[in-house]
Amino acid sequence: MLHEPNTICYGVGVKYQKIIAICALTAAVAMPSLSGQSEPPPPRNAEEFDQLFHQVSNWGRWGKDDQLGSVNLVTTAKRKQAMTLVKTGESVSLAHNPMTERAEDNNNPFEHTMLRGNSMDRYAVSYHGYAHSHIDALCHILYKDQTYNGYPRAEVNTEKGCTKLGIDNLKNGVITRGVLVDIPRLKGVDFLEPGTPIYVEDLEAWEKKAGVRISSGDAVLIRTGRWARRAKVGPWAVGQNAAGLHASVAPWFKARGVALVGSDAAEDVTPSRVEGVALPIHTLFITAMGINLLDNQDLEALGAAAARLNRWEFMLTIAPVPVTGGTGFPLNALAVF
């Protein structure tokens, strides 16, 4: 494969647990931001991105053999704190129902086949992408042929699955404090327009409005209103044009000690505004910082419940099926108020 200058190559987990290398060159696009910035802050190119990668890296922080990454920040005390947030017992799913129809944002529809006189069934799904609610394992994205914690691709990513950092490392599940960051509600709109970047000042403005502060061990869920927009205008190519986090927020997330991050798309603003880097948030969060990402969560019901209760924090439970060496798994995360 020929690589263009300043092109970042990263590994993406795909169907049957195979890992493929994708090299993408994404130009920075001048679009208005929520914070009113006309020009994006660093990183703006591959060189600045590389510097930021090393700045926020957690490699070796929890030992050279670590496979949990930032989930290490979800301590026993953090789990106990999360449980104290349950007041009414109301439970809200974060999963979007499986999408069985091909669409601009769903190249791999969920397959449901009935068997044995319709008393049994078979499911099949290639869940990575922009349609299905899922969690990314830490072996899903690579940077310069290395996974989180510096493991070489050749030692980790095999045709039989990941020898390290697979989703089976979360077999015991994650119970922690979840915090919803509802940027459309902050701005008084139903949804953000595709391509809108979210910066640190937007996150802090939400904290002030909601009366919450994101802290160590939290799972942060970013609502952009993707599903609300889809319901109104129909599907679009989310992988090419989506509201989301700008790469400049990574040091803020590390300083706050965030354990997991999710959104109603794939976290990254697209186009990325970082020339030569297609998915900087995925690469910084998963590969540098060891943060599992929760992609394509349906945060509409959660946003409505949080607004009705005026409570933006809750107990979040995550329990993916522990496929040995899996690059992730479809997910039905639950928020309990």
Side-chain angles (χ1 to χ4, degrees), residues 99-319:
M99 297 170 63
T100 58
E101 300 294 329
R102 186 174 296 274
E104 281 192 87
D105 57 354
N106 185 18
N107 293 325
N108 297 292
F110 186 93
E111 300 175 19
H112 182 196
T113 305
M114 299 305 296
L115 306 169
R116 301 281 183 91
N118 298 331
S119 62
M120 298 175 63
D121 48 12
R122 174 183 177 273
Y123 305 140
V125 60
S126 179
Y127 56 85
H128 286 297
Y130 297 90
H132 308 296
S133 301
H134 67 275
I135 183 171
D136 290 338
L138 298 185
C139 61
H140 174 52
I141 298 287
L142 295 87
Y143 180 62
K144 296 184 176 180
D145 274 339
Q146 290 180 294
T147 65
Y148 162 72
N149 222 24
Y151 301 123
R153 175 195 294 274
E155 293 182 10
V156 175
N157 300 94
T158 76
E159 290 188 356
K160 294 184 178 180
C162 298
T163 61
K164 293 181 174 68
L165 305 174
I167 199 63
D168 47 304
N169 285 285
L170 297 184
K171 182 176 182 177
N172 292 326
V174 180
I175 299 173
T176 193
R177 177 188 184 231
V179 178
L180 178 63
V181 177
D182 196 330
I183 299 298
R185 187 165 270 106
L186 173 69
K187 297 299 176 180
V189 296
D190 293 333
F191 48 78
L192 302 183
E193 289 300 327
T196 303
I198 298 170
Y199 295 112
V200 167
E201 47 264 50
D202 303 312
L203 302 172
E204 293 183 343
W206 173 255
E207 285 186 315
K208 183 176 181 180
K209 178 180 177 65
V212 296
R213 180 176 173 82
I214 292 164
S215 60
S216 181
D218 285 348
V220 177
L221 302 170
I222 309 292
R223 178 177 174 266
T224 69
R226 175 263 182 99
W227 296 110
R229 186 179 191 275
R230 191 182 197 272
K232 183 174 182 178
V233 306
W236 75 97
V238 177
Q240 300 173 25
N241 201 12
L245 296 170
H246 183 264
S248 59
V249 304
W252 188 88
F253 276 84
K254 181 174 181 178
R256 292 297 184 92
V258 173
L260 301 103
V261 178
S263 82
D264 46 12
E267 292 79 40
D268 283 88
V269 62
T270 53
S272 72
R273 294 187 164 214
V274 183
E275 185 178 1
V277 187
L279 293 174
I281 287 292
H282 262 66
T283 307
L284 291 169
F285 281 30
I286 294 178
T287 316
M289 299 163 65
I291 295 177
N292 296 96
L293 296 182
L294 283 62
D295 293 344
N296 308 317
Q297 305 302 298
D298 191 336
L299 303 179
E300 295 308 300
L302 179 62
R308 171 169 46 82
L309 297 170
N310 194 28
R311 291 183 54 201
W312 305 98
E313 58 178 353
F314 39 83
M315 183 179 78
L316 183 70
T317 63
I318 298 168

Side-chain angles (χ1 to χ4, degrees), residues 42-57 143-144 251 284 288:
R44 293 171 290 251
N45 53 52
E47 181 179 358
E48 292 179 348
F49 176 83
D50 188 70
Q51 294 171 357
L52 181 58
F53 184 96
H54 293 289
Q55 176 188 337
V56 301
S57 173
Y143 180 62
K144 296 184 176 180
L284 291 169

Side-chain angles (χ1 to χ4, degrees), residues 62 68-80 82 173-177 216-219 257-260 316:
W62 295 288
L68 286 179
S70 291
V71 168
N72 281 292
L73 297 170
V74 183
T75 62
T76 299
K78 189 68 182 184
R79 286 189 285 273
K80 290 180 178 179
V174 180
I175 299 173
T176 193
R177 177 188 184 231
S216 181
D218 285 348
V258 173
L260 301 103
L316 183 70

